[in-house]
Amino acid sequence: MPDPIESVVTQGLCTGCGLCASLFDDSVEMSITLAGRMRPIVKKPLDDKSTETFQAVCPGLHVTGPDPKIAGPKGVMHSVWGPMRTTYRGWSSNPEIRFRAAAGGALTAMAIHLLETGKVDAVIHVKASESHPMLSDAHVSRTKEDVIEGSQSRYGPAAPLVNVKRLLDEGARFAVVAKPCDIAAIRNLQKVDSRAKEQILYCLTLFCGGIASSHTPEKIAKFHGVEAKDVSVFRFRGNGWPGPLRVQSKAGKTYDLTYEDSFDNEDYPWDYDVQFRCKICADAIGELADVSCPDAWIMKDGEPTFDEAPGVNVLVTRTEVGEELVSDVEAAGDMELSPFAIDELDAMHASHLPRKLEFPGRHLGVRLAGAAVTDFRRFRTLRALWNGGLWHNLTSMLGTRRRVRNGDNHEPLD
């Protein structure tokens, strides 16, 4: 019988969150595979109890969407964007944090506020690896300085949840700042572990474009003539908004690319080889978080523009906890807010619409190809079919079935 963790990996359903390695640290560890993915490596088989726990918490196996009532009487359960209690434009009132962060520094401001007010003892997030700058390490912040150190976007593989069990064992109260799939893993854990419900007090996230392999930054560095071993700084974004993609060599040379060139220029010899699990995701916008914090792109003629400007986030509060947090951070003077209309998201983050509206077709395509697919429940499947249209879902189904039959979902274990 195949190992349950290895089965999730080989079927292309692993998110790389690291929760299994945290919970079963004597049996599982996280490592970058030859394919450039952060994946669990099974050192010894799980016992029956651990297997049951893994199957309950793994976000590669199942994700349950938010209760429709969570938006509250004054909020909305949007058919595309999920629960929305309040929406704002926002940014850190500290200009240095705002400049350093990938967008407006709103996530950084909230994390610092939580620590400095004693609402939490620690914050889980990721930061650039000190030993391998193109990679990202899981990090636990306990001070303002720790949070700021990790306050820039990391688009490559990372396992932010590897420290969860350690903090639970310590009795620490903590917040998690991570990708939507990582938040889904936390919500799964809170259903089966009372400590997680009592001690993990805040979940904050972003809108996710998908996780590329570690080969992508290597190709970008090599394009500039810098070998991986000679890279001293690799920053996807930040130091401005959106900020340049910067490669700095140990010899002191600096190479910058604009946001558009680094992500959208097809003339460059790399692409963001997003993992299969991201391609079938029904929640890249963090519906299960307390607060979702995407970029508040500047719009021109109905399209987002990426000219450099002072950074701004959108803040979508999804729970009562999230709404109170945003209000408290503003009241403390740590963040500035201005109005934001829900309808603005449709054009500003139009790239998320196919993923939200065509996931039923993609999931059906995986099943018709005879493969396993993550069980996404309570994500308004019928509404997605209606809003996305049968034709778009049909073409998504056919394309996904073809890719799975070609083995695009399959991952090796090493």
Side-chain angles (χ1 to χ4, degrees), residues 17-53:
C17 69
L19 183 58
C20 58
S22 177
L23 298 179
F24 319 117
D25 54 358
D26 60 338
S27 300
V28 184
E29 64 183 10
M30 300 302 292
S31 180
I32 296 287
T33 67
L34 293 176
R37 310 293 184 189
M38 179 67 74
R39 294 294 181 254
I41 306 300
V42 179
K43 297 180 292 184
K44 65 178 184 180
L46 302 183
D47 59 29
D48 290 345
K49 183 178 180 180
S50 295
T51 296
E52 183 179 349
T53 300

PDB file of all heavy atoms in Angstrom, residues 17-53:
ATOM      1  N   CYS A  17       3.515  22.827   2.250  1.00  0.00           N
ATOM      2  CA  CYS A  17       3.327  23.708   3.409  1.00  0.00           C
ATOM      3  C   CYS A  17       4.217  23.354   4.589  1.00  0.00           C
ATOM      4  O   CYS A  17       4.557  24.212   5.399  1.00  0.00           O
ATOM      5  CB  CYS A  17       1.866  23.704   3.840  1.00  0.00           C
ATOM      6  SG  CYS A  17       1.272  22.155   4.576  1.00  0.00           S
ATOM      7  N   GLY A  18       4.563  22.076   4.733  1.00  0.00           N
ATOM      8  CA  GLY A  18       5.431  21.648   5.822  1.00  0.00           C
ATOM      9  C   GLY A  18       4.714  21.215   7.080  1.00  0.00           C
ATOM     10  O   GLY A  18       5.351  20.859   8.071  1.00  0.00           O
ATOM     11  N   LEU A  19       3.369  21.207   7.090  1.00  0.00           N
ATOM     12  CA  LEU A  19       2.657  20.851   8.307  1.00  0.00           C
ATOM     13  C   LEU A  19       2.897  19.397   8.704  1.00  0.00           C
ATOM     14  O   LEU A  19       3.065  19.088   9.880  1.00  0.00           O
ATOM     15  CB  LEU A  19       1.154  21.108   8.147  1.00  0.00           C
ATOM     16  CG  LEU A  19       0.305  20.839   9.389  1.00  0.00           C
ATOM     17  CD1 LEU A  19       0.774  21.694  10.575  1.00  0.00           C
ATOM     18  CD2 LEU A  19      -1.174  21.092   9.113  1.00  0.00           C
ATOM     19  N   CYS A  20       2.961  18.501   7.720  1.00  0.00           N
ATOM     20  CA  CYS A  20       3.189  17.088   8.050  1.00  0.00           C
ATOM     21  C   CYS A  20       4.573  16.891   8.675  1.00  0.00           C
ATOM     22  O   CYS A  20       4.731  16.093   9.608  1.00  0.00           O
ATOM     23  CB  CYS A  20       3.009  16.198   6.820  1.00  0.00           C
ATOM     24  SG  CYS A  20       4.081  16.583   5.417  1.00  0.00           S
ATOM     25  N   ALA A  21       5.564  17.629   8.198  1.00  0.00           N
ATOM     26  CA  ALA A  21       6.905  17.518   8.774  1.00  0.00           C
ATOM     27  C   ALA A  21       6.933  18.074  10.196  1.00  0.00           C
ATOM     28  O   ALA A  21       7.719  17.624  11.030  1.00  0.00           O
ATOM     29  CB  ALA A  21       7.914  18.257   7.900  1.00  0.00           C
ATOM     30  N   SER A  22       6.093  19.066  10.469  1.00  0.00           N
ATOM     31  CA  SER A  22       6.008  19.621  11.816  1.00  0.00           C
ATOM     32  C   SER A  22       5.355  18.629  12.772  1.00  0.00           C
ATOM     33  O   SER A  22       5.872  18.370  13.865  1.00  0.00           O
ATOM     34  CB  SER A  22       5.219  20.927  11.786  1.00  0.00           C
ATOM     35  OG  SER A  22       5.054  21.454  13.085  1.00  0.00           O
ATOM     36  N   LEU A  23       4.228  18.066  12.346  1.00  0.00           N
ATOM     37  CA  LEU A  23       3.467  17.175  13.229  1.00  0.00           C
ATOM     38  C   LEU A  23       4.158  15.839  13.439  1.00  0.00           C
ATOM     39  O   LEU A  23       4.045  15.237  14.519  1.00  0.00           O
ATOM     40  CB  LEU A  23       2.075  16.947  12.644  1.00  0.00           C
ATOM     41  CG  LEU A  23       1.179  18.172  12.499  1.00  0.00           C
ATOM     42  CD1 LEU A  23      -0.165  17.767  11.883  1.00  0.00           C
ATOM     43  CD2 LEU A  23       0.965  18.868  13.827  1.00  0.00           C
ATOM     44  N   PHE A  24       4.869  15.359  12.420  1.00  0.00           N
ATOM     45  CA  PHE A  24       5.484  14.030  12.486  1.00  0.00           C
ATOM     46  C   PHE A  24       6.985  14.171  12.248  1.00  0.00           C
ATOM     47  O   PHE A  24       7.556  13.548  11.350  1.00  0.00           O
ATOM     48  CB  PHE A  24       4.851  13.103  11.441  1.00  0.00           C
ATOM     49  CG  PHE A  24       3.363  13.255  11.321  1.00  0.00           C
ATOM     50  CD1 PHE A  24       2.778  13.692  10.139  1.00  0.00           C
ATOM     51  CD2 PHE A  24       2.531  12.990  12.398  1.00  0.00           C
ATOM     52  CE1 PHE A  24       1.410  13.844  10.024  1.00  0.00           C
ATOM     53  CE2 PHE A  24       1.151  13.151  12.288  1.00  0.00           C
ATOM     54  CZ  PHE A  24       0.585  13.575  11.108  1.00  0.00           C
ATOM     55  N   ASP A  25       7.632  14.997  13.061  1.00  0.00           N
ATOM     56  CA  ASP A  25       9.024  15.356  12.795  1.00  0.00           C
ATOM     57  C   ASP A  25      10.004  14.205  12.942  1.00  0.00           C
ATOM     58  O   ASP A  25      11.136  14.280  12.460  1.00  0.00           O
ATOM     59  CB  ASP A  25       9.460  16.530  13.675  1.00  0.00           C
ATOM     60  CG  ASP A  25       9.225  16.279  15.160  1.00  0.00           C
ATOM     61  OD1 ASP A  25       8.677  15.207  15.507  1.00  0.00           O
ATOM     62  OD2 ASP A  25       9.592  17.142  15.964  1.00  0.00           O
ATOM     63  N   ASP A  26       9.584  13.121  13.606  1.00  0.00           N
ATOM     64  CA  ASP A  26      10.463  11.955  13.680  1.00  0.00           C
ATOM     65  C   ASP A  26      10.348  11.072  12.442  1.00  0.00           C
ATOM     66  O   ASP A  26      11.171  10.176  12.233  1.00  0.00           O
ATOM     67  CB  ASP A  26      10.151  11.121  14.924  1.00  0.00           C
ATOM     68  CG  ASP A  26       8.716  10.607  14.941  1.00  0.00           C
ATOM     69  OD1 ASP A  26       7.855  11.212  14.253  1.00  0.00           O
ATOM     70  OD2 ASP A  26       8.444   9.601  15.626  1.00  0.00           O
ATOM     71  N   SER A  27       9.345  11.342  11.600  1.00  0.00           N
ATOM     72  CA  SER A  27       9.114  10.503  10.419  1.00  0.00           C
ATOM     73  C   SER A  27       9.256  11.243   9.105  1.00  0.00           C
ATOM     74  O   SER A  27       9.474  10.619   8.060  1.00  0.00           O
ATOM     75  CB  SER A  27       7.697   9.897  10.475  1.00  0.00           C
ATOM     76  OG  SER A  27       7.521   9.092  11.618  1.00  0.00           O
ATOM     77  N   VAL A  28       9.119  12.579   9.130  1.00  0.00           N
ATOM     78  CA  VAL A  28       9.057  13.354   7.894  1.00  0.00           C
ATOM     79  C   VAL A  28       9.936  14.588   8.015  1.00  0.00           C
ATOM     80  O   VAL A  28      10.010  15.213   9.076  1.00  0.00           O
ATOM     81  CB  VAL A  28       7.602  13.801   7.604  1.00  0.00           C
ATOM     82  CG1 VAL A  28       7.517  14.533   6.263  1.00  0.00           C
ATOM     83  CG2 VAL A  28       6.647  12.608   7.624  1.00  0.00           C
ATOM     84  N   GLU A  29      10.618  14.933   6.941  1.00  0.00           N
ATOM     85  CA  GLU A  29      11.356  16.183   6.872  1.00  0.00           C
ATOM     86  C   GLU A  29      11.123  16.825   5.511  1.00  0.00           C
ATOM     87  O   GLU A  29      10.791  16.145   4.537  1.00  0.00           O
ATOM     88  CB  GLU A  29      12.856  15.955   7.095  1.00  0.00           C
ATOM     89  CG  GLU A  29      13.522  15.106   6.039  1.00  0.00           C
ATOM     90  CD  GLU A  29      14.989  14.845   6.335  1.00  0.00           C
ATOM     91  OE1 GLU A  29      15.433  15.160   7.455  1.00  0.00           O
ATOM     92  OE2 GLU A  29      15.684  14.314   5.444  1.00  0.00           O
ATOM     93  N   MET A  30      11.287  18.133   5.439  1.00  0.00           N
ATOM     94  CA  MET A  30      11.085  18.865   4.190  1.00  0.00           C
ATOM     95  C   MET A  30      12.419  19.068   3.487  1.00  0.00           C
ATOM     96  O   MET A  30      13.449  19.313   4.116  1.00  0.00           O
ATOM     97  CB  MET A  30      10.435  20.221   4.459  1.00  0.00           C
ATOM     98  CG  MET A  30       9.081  20.155   5.125  1.00  0.00           C
ATOM     99  SD  MET A  30       7.835  19.210   4.209  1.00  0.00           S
ATOM    100  CE  MET A  30       7.594  20.280   2.766  1.00  0.00           C
ATOM    101  N   SER A  31      12.356  18.976   2.160  1.00  0.00           N
ATOM    102  CA  SER A  31      13.578  19.142   1.370  1.00  0.00           C
ATOM    103  C   SER A  31      13.213  19.605  -0.032  1.00  0.00           C
ATOM    104  O   SER A  31      12.108  19.340  -0.517  1.00  0.00           O
ATOM    105  CB  SER A  31      14.348  17.816   1.299  1.00  0.00           C
ATOM    106  OG  SER A  31      15.538  17.955   0.534  1.00  0.00           O
ATOM    107  N   ILE A  32      14.142  20.298  -0.682  1.00  0.00           N
ATOM    108  CA  ILE A  32      13.975  20.666  -2.080  1.00  0.00           C
ATOM    109  C   ILE A  32      14.335  19.467  -2.947  1.00  0.00           C
ATOM    110  O   ILE A  32      15.432  18.908  -2.837  1.00  0.00           O
ATOM    111  CB  ILE A  32      14.872  21.864  -2.459  1.00  0.00           C
ATOM    112  CG1 ILE A  32      14.461  23.109  -1.677  1.00  0.00           C
ATOM    113  CG2 ILE A  32      14.794  22.138  -3.957  1.00  0.00           C
ATOM    114  CD1 ILE A  32      13.165  23.725  -2.127  1.00  0.00           C
ATOM    115  N   THR A  33      13.418  19.040  -3.809  1.00  0.00           N
ATOM    116  CA  THR A  33      13.657  17.898  -4.673  1.00  0.00           C
ATOM    117  C   THR A  33      14.449  18.312  -5.912  1.00  0.00           C
ATOM    118  O   THR A  33      14.680  19.499  -6.162  1.00  0.00           O
ATOM    119  CB  THR A  33      12.329  17.270  -5.123  1.00  0.00           C
ATOM    120  OG1 THR A  33      11.643  18.208  -5.978  1.00  0.00           O
ATOM    121  CG2 THR A  33      11.450  16.936  -3.928  1.00  0.00           C
ATOM    122  N   LEU A  34      14.826  17.332  -6.714  1.00  0.00           N
ATOM    123  CA  LEU A  34      15.544  17.616  -7.955  1.00  0.00           C
ATOM    124  C   LEU A  34      14.689  18.443  -8.906  1.00  0.00           C
ATOM    125  O   LEU A  34      15.214  19.178  -9.744  1.00  0.00           O
ATOM    126  CB  LEU A  34      15.972  16.303  -8.627  1.00  0.00           C
ATOM    127  CG  LEU A  34      17.028  15.483  -7.881  1.00  0.00           C
ATOM    128  CD1 LEU A  34      17.289  14.164  -8.611  1.00  0.00           C
ATOM    129  CD2 LEU A  34      18.322  16.276  -7.719  1.00  0.00           C
ATOM    130  N   ALA A  35      13.371  18.331  -8.768  1.00  0.00           N
ATOM    131  CA  ALA A  35      12.458  19.129  -9.593  1.00  0.00           C
ATOM    132  C   ALA A  35      12.320  20.554  -9.085  1.00  0.00           C
ATOM    133  O   ALA A  35      11.601  21.361  -9.679  1.00  0.00           O
ATOM    134  CB  ALA A  35      11.094  18.453  -9.649  1.00  0.00           C
ATOM    135  N   GLY A  36      12.993  20.864  -7.972  1.00  0.00           N
ATOM    136  CA  GLY A  36      12.949  22.217  -7.439  1.00  0.00           C
ATOM    137  C   GLY A  36      11.728  22.514  -6.597  1.00  0.00           C
ATOM    138  O   GLY A  36      11.376  23.678  -6.388  1.00  0.00           O
ATOM    139  N   ARG A  37      11.072  21.491  -6.063  1.00  0.00           N
ATOM    140  CA  ARG A  37       9.884  21.663  -5.234  1.00  0.00           C
ATOM    141  C   ARG A  37      10.210  21.375  -3.773  1.00  0.00           C
ATOM    142  O   ARG A  37      11.007  20.489  -3.472  1.00  0.00           O
ATOM    143  CB  ARG A  37       8.768  20.715  -5.678  1.00  0.00           C
ATOM    144  CG  ARG A  37       8.454  20.733  -7.167  1.00  0.00           C
ATOM    145  CD  ARG A  37       7.855  22.030  -7.608  1.00  0.00           C
ATOM    146  NE  ARG A  37       7.463  21.999  -9.018  1.00  0.00           N
ATOM    147  CZ  ARG A  37       7.073  23.068  -9.708  1.00  0.00           C
ATOM    148  NH1 ARG A  37       7.004  24.250  -9.118  1.00  0.00           N
ATOM    149  NH2 ARG A  37       6.736  22.966 -10.979  1.00  0.00           N
ATOM    150  N   MET A  38       9.582  22.113  -2.865  1.00  0.00           N
ATOM    151  CA  MET A  38       9.690  21.819  -1.441  1.00  0.00           C
ATOM    152  C   MET A  38       8.703  20.709  -1.116  1.00  0.00           C
ATOM    153  O   MET A  38       7.489  20.875  -1.251  1.00  0.00           O
ATOM    154  CB  MET A  38       9.366  23.071  -0.616  1.00  0.00           C
ATOM    155  CG  MET A  38       9.439  22.854   0.887  1.00  0.00           C
ATOM    156  SD  MET A  38      11.100  22.526   1.487  1.00  0.00           S
ATOM    157  CE  MET A  38      11.839  24.167   1.369  1.00  0.00           C
ATOM    158  N   ARG A  39       9.229  19.564  -0.693  1.00  0.00           N
ATOM    159  CA  ARG A  39       8.375  18.399  -0.500  1.00  0.00           C
ATOM    160  C   ARG A  39       8.754  17.620   0.763  1.00  0.00           C
ATOM    161  O   ARG A  39       9.905  17.616   1.188  1.00  0.00           O
ATOM    162  CB  ARG A  39       8.488  17.453  -1.705  1.00  0.00           C
ATOM    163  CG  ARG A  39       7.945  18.046  -3.006  1.00  0.00           C
ATOM    164  CD  ARG A  39       6.455  18.251  -2.933  1.00  0.00           C
ATOM    165  NE  ARG A  39       5.859  18.794  -4.141  1.00  0.00           N
ATOM    166  CZ  ARG A  39       5.426  20.046  -4.272  1.00  0.00           C
ATOM    167  NH1 ARG A  39       5.517  20.872  -3.248  1.00  0.00           N
ATOM    168  NH2 ARG A  39       4.880  20.457  -5.392  1.00  0.00           N
ATOM    169  N   PRO A  40       7.769  16.932   1.349  1.00  0.00           N
ATOM    170  CA  PRO A  40       8.059  16.076   2.501  1.00  0.00           C
ATOM    171  C   PRO A  40       8.795  14.813   2.066  1.00  0.00           C
ATOM    172  O   PRO A  40       8.428  14.182   1.062  1.00  0.00           O
ATOM    173  CB  PRO A  40       6.666  15.746   3.046  1.00  0.00           C
ATOM    174  CG  PRO A  40       5.747  15.885   1.869  1.00  0.00           C
ATOM    175  CD  PRO A  40       6.333  16.954   1.002  1.00  0.00           C
ATOM    176  N   ILE A  41       9.815  14.474   2.815  1.00  0.00           N
ATOM    177  CA  ILE A  41      10.561  13.235   2.597  1.00  0.00           C
ATOM    178  C   ILE A  41      10.247  12.295   3.761  1.00  0.00           C
ATOM    179  O   ILE A  41      10.490  12.636   4.925  1.00  0.00           O
ATOM    180  CB  ILE A  41      12.082  13.500   2.536  1.00  0.00           C
ATOM    181  CG1 ILE A  41      12.398  14.585   1.491  1.00  0.00           C
ATOM    182  CG2 ILE A  41      12.841  12.210   2.243  1.00  0.00           C
ATOM    183  CD1 ILE A  41      11.971  14.248   0.085  1.00  0.00           C
ATOM    184  N   VAL A  42       9.679  11.153   3.467  1.00  0.00           N
ATOM    185  CA  VAL A  42       9.266  10.209   4.501  1.00  0.00           C
ATOM    186  C   VAL A  42      10.458   9.348   4.905  1.00  0.00           C
ATOM    187  O   VAL A  42      10.989   8.579   4.106  1.00  0.00           O
ATOM    188  CB  VAL A  42       8.100   9.317   4.008  1.00  0.00           C
ATOM    189  CG1 VAL A  42       7.697   8.323   5.102  1.00  0.00           C
ATOM    190  CG2 VAL A  42       6.909  10.181   3.607  1.00  0.00           C
ATOM    191  N   LYS A  43      10.876   9.506   6.166  1.00  0.00           N
ATOM    192  CA  LYS A  43      12.012   8.740   6.676  1.00  0.00           C
ATOM    193  C   LYS A  43      11.574   7.381   7.218  1.00  0.00           C
ATOM    194  O   LYS A  43      12.316   6.399   7.141  1.00  0.00           O
ATOM    195  CB  LYS A  43      12.718   9.539   7.778  1.00  0.00           C
ATOM    196  CG  LYS A  43      13.326  10.852   7.289  1.00  0.00           C
ATOM    197  CD  LYS A  43      14.018  11.594   8.423  1.00  0.00           C
ATOM    198  CE  LYS A  43      13.019  12.115   9.454  1.00  0.00           C
ATOM    199  NZ  LYS A  43      13.684  12.924  10.515  1.00  0.00           N
ATOM    200  N   LYS A  44      10.384   7.332   7.779  1.00  0.00           N
ATOM    201  CA  LYS A  44       9.811   6.064   8.221  1.00  0.00           C
ATOM    202  C   LYS A  44       8.302   6.185   8.170  1.00  0.00           C
ATOM    203  O   LYS A  44       7.758   7.282   8.302  1.00  0.00           O
ATOM    204  CB  LYS A  44      10.284   5.685   9.628  1.00  0.00           C
ATOM    205  CG  LYS A  44       9.834   6.615  10.732  1.00  0.00           C
ATOM    206  CD  LYS A  44      10.327   6.095  12.083  1.00  0.00           C
ATOM    207  CE  LYS A  44       9.811   6.965  13.223  1.00  0.00           C
ATOM    208  NZ  LYS A  44      10.268   6.470  14.545  1.00  0.00           N
ATOM    209  N   PRO A  45       7.602   5.071   7.937  1.00  0.00           N
ATOM    210  CA  PRO A  45       6.144   5.123   7.752  1.00  0.00           C
ATOM    211  C   PRO A  45       5.432   5.669   8.981  1.00  0.00           C
ATOM    212  O   PRO A  45       5.852   5.459  10.125  1.00  0.00           O
ATOM    213  CB  PRO A  45       5.771   3.658   7.493  1.00  0.00           C
ATOM    214  CG  PRO A  45       7.034   3.015   7.033  1.00  0.00           C
ATOM    215  CD  PRO A  45       8.142   3.710   7.757  1.00  0.00           C
ATOM    216  N   LEU A  46       4.322   6.351   8.746  1.00  0.00           N
ATOM    217  CA  LEU A  46       3.481   6.822   9.842  1.00  0.00           C
ATOM    218  C   LEU A  46       2.703   5.666  10.440  1.00  0.00           C
ATOM    219  O   LEU A  46       2.328   4.719   9.737  1.00  0.00           O
ATOM    220  CB  LEU A  46       2.486   7.869   9.327  1.00  0.00           C
ATOM    221  CG  LEU A  46       3.035   9.127   8.657  1.00  0.00           C
ATOM    222  CD1 LEU A  46       1.874  10.057   8.290  1.00  0.00           C
ATOM    223  CD2 LEU A  46       4.027   9.844   9.543  1.00  0.00           C
ATOM    224  N   ASP A  47       2.439   5.740  11.741  1.00  0.00           N
ATOM    225  CA  ASP A  47       1.566   4.749  12.346  1.00  0.00           C
ATOM    226  C   ASP A  47       0.118   5.092  12.005  1.00  0.00           C
ATOM    227  O   ASP A  47      -0.170   6.123  11.377  1.00  0.00           O
ATOM    228  CB  ASP A  47       1.775   4.657  13.856  1.00  0.00           C
ATOM    229  CG  ASP A  47       1.531   5.980  14.585  1.00  0.00           C
ATOM    230  OD1 ASP A  47       0.706   6.796  14.102  1.00  0.00           O
ATOM    231  OD2 ASP A  47       2.151   6.196  15.635  1.00  0.00           O
ATOM    232  N   ASP A  48      -0.802   4.243  12.424  1.00  0.00           N
ATOM    233  CA  ASP A  48      -2.200   4.421  12.028  1.00  0.00           C
ATOM    234  C   ASP A  48      -2.780   5.739  12.530  1.00  0.00           C
ATOM    235  O   ASP A  48      -3.503   6.430  11.805  1.00  0.00           O
ATOM    236  CB  ASP A  48      -3.044   3.252  12.554  1.00  0.00           C
ATOM    237  CG  ASP A  48      -2.734   1.950  11.830  1.00  0.00           C
ATOM    238  OD1 ASP A  48      -2.097   2.010  10.759  1.00  0.00           O
ATOM    239  OD2 ASP A  48      -3.131   0.888  12.335  1.00  0.00           O
ATOM    240  N   LYS A  49      -2.467   6.111  13.763  1.00  0.00           N
ATOM    241  CA  LYS A  49      -3.004   7.350  14.323  1.00  0.00           C
ATOM    242  C   LYS A  49      -2.463   8.563  13.565  1.00  0.00           C
ATOM    243  O   LYS A  49      -3.212   9.501  13.251  1.00  0.00           O
ATOM    244  CB  LYS A  49      -2.666   7.451  15.804  1.00  0.00           C
ATOM    245  CG  LYS A  49      -3.255   8.679  16.467  1.00  0.00           C
ATOM    246  CD  LYS A  49      -2.947   8.715  17.961  1.00  0.00           C
ATOM    247  CE  LYS A  49      -3.546   9.965  18.613  1.00  0.00           C
ATOM    248  NZ  LYS A  49      -3.235  10.000  20.079  1.00  0.00           N
ATOM    249  N   SER A  50      -1.167   8.540  13.267  1.00  0.00           N
ATOM    250  CA  SER A  50      -0.558   9.653  12.538  1.00  0.00           C
ATOM    251  C   SER A  50      -1.103   9.733  11.119  1.00  0.00           C
ATOM    252  O   SER A  50      -1.326  10.834  10.586  1.00  0.00           O
ATOM    253  CB  SER A  50       0.960   9.503  12.511  1.00  0.00           C
ATOM    254  OG  SER A  50       1.507   9.599  13.814  1.00  0.00           O
ATOM    255  N   THR A  51      -1.324   8.592  10.509  1.00  0.00           N
ATOM    256  CA  THR A  51      -1.904   8.572   9.166  1.00  0.00           C
ATOM    257  C   THR A  51      -3.286   9.210   9.163  1.00  0.00           C
ATOM    258  O   THR A  51      -3.632   9.999   8.278  1.00  0.00           O
ATOM    259  CB  THR A  51      -1.993   7.127   8.637  1.00  0.00           C
ATOM    260  OG1 THR A  51      -0.678   6.599   8.499  1.00  0.00           O
ATOM    261  CG2 THR A  51      -2.694   7.092   7.282  1.00  0.00           C
ATOM    262  N   GLU A  52      -4.072   8.891  10.186  1.00  0.00           N
ATOM    263  CA  GLU A  52      -5.414   9.470  10.299  1.00  0.00           C
ATOM    264  C   GLU A  52      -5.330  10.995  10.457  1.00  0.00           C
ATOM    265  O   GLU A  52      -6.107  11.735   9.838  1.00  0.00           O
ATOM    266  CB  GLU A  52      -6.142   8.852  11.493  1.00  0.00           C
ATOM    267  CG  GLU A  52      -7.566   9.339  11.666  1.00  0.00           C
ATOM    268  CD  GLU A  52      -8.263   8.680  12.853  1.00  0.00           C
ATOM    269  OE1 GLU A  52      -7.712   7.702  13.403  1.00  0.00           O
ATOM    270  OE2 GLU A  52      -9.357   9.150  13.235  1.00  0.00           O
ATOM    271  N   THR A  53      -4.393  11.456  11.265  1.00  0.00           N
ATOM    272  CA  THR A  53      -4.214  12.891  11.448  1.00  0.00           C
ATOM    273  C   THR A  53      -3.777  13.558  10.156  1.00  0.00           C
ATOM    274  O   THR A  53      -4.306  14.612   9.775  1.00  0.00           O
ATOM    275  CB  THR A  53      -3.176  13.171  12.549  1.00  0.00           C
ATOM    276  OG1 THR A  53      -3.622  12.604  13.782  1.00  0.00           O
ATOM    277  CG2 THR A  53      -2.952  14.665  12.727  1.00  0.00           C
TER     278      THR A  53
END
